[in-house]
Amino acid sequence: VRTATGGGTGVEAAISGLFAVGIAVGSLTAARIAGGRIALSPVPLAALGMGIFLVALGFATNGIAASATADVSLAAFLTSPRGVFIGFAVISLAAAGGLFTVPLFAAVQAVAAPERRARTIAAVSILNAVYIIDIRVPWQRKPGNLQAVIAVHCHARERPARKRLRRRSLNR
């Protein structure tokens, strides 16, 4: 955060706090939309929102670190138009992330057989970590790593699991 915004530790803490608030807003919105059911309908819109706000955040932070000679204070950051926009983009990105993640994780829990649920959730968490690492370091990955992870993920699910999800959604 410091290199992207030119801000000091106060700005770093504020951005982390805004991100946490955004995740909470997105997660609560997902729960409200679902209304106790498994609803994957907000996922595509949330993915689009994440993409839009990530690009907006990239444009907003472009060139800040290169022009900054000293750390910017929190007050100066939050009173600048660019700082306000970065704060808005961070909250929006995190809210879209919460709206994306909560329904998908609920679907994974519903689809997994009860005797394998813990293993399934652990595998999803490992895959999430692999995706994060593979996407964060695109220049250091070997060709085919991400494709291999996607292939393993896609073939790990069985067809009966999809039928169980449909049955559970229809029964509620």
Side-chain angles (χ1 to χ4, degrees):
V1 172
R2 179 175 281 182
T3 57
T5 63
T9 55
V11 174
E12 287 183 47
I15 294 291
S16 295
L18 292 173
F19 194 82
V21 167
I23 288 284
V25 167
S27 299
L28 291 172
T29 304
R32 193 130 168 80
I33 290 171
R37 298 174 284 114
I38 295 172
L40 296 175
S41 55
V43 172
L45 185 62
L48 180 65
M50 285 191 303
I52 289 170
F53 290 114
L54 193 58
V55 169
L57 196 56
F59 280 122
T61 58
N62 187 23
I64 290 179
S67 64
T69 55
D71 287 348
V72 177
S73 71
L74 178 59
F77 182 77
L78 291 178
T79 56
S80 71
R82 187 180 254 183
V84 170
F85 181 76
I86 289 172
F88 170 75
V90 165
I91 287 175
S92 301
L93 172 65
L99 191 59
F100 180 83
T101 304
V102 170
L104 288 178
F105 206 75
V108 166
Q109 290 180 26
V111 166
E115 65 275 0
R116 296 178 56 170
R117 189 167 290 145
R119 288 182 193 169
T120 303
I121 292 170
V124 168
S125 298
I126 291 168
L127 282 172
N128 285 340
V130 169
Y131 280 127
I132 290 169
I133 291 167
D134 201 45
I135 289 171
R136 280 191 66 166
V137 193
W139 317 125
Q140 297 177 1
R141 70 174 174 236
K142 296 176 184 165
N145 281 2
L146 186 58
Q147 292 81 3
V149 170
I150 291 170
V152 167
H153 179 67
C154 290
H155 294 293
R157 302 303 318 146
E158 312 162 359
R159 282 203 176 271
R162 290 185 191 143
K163 290 178 184 174
R164 278 197 307 271
L165 177 61
R166 279 192 212 117
R167 261 186 266 132
R168 287 183 185 171
S169 294
L170 293 173
N171 291 336
R172 291 184 185 229

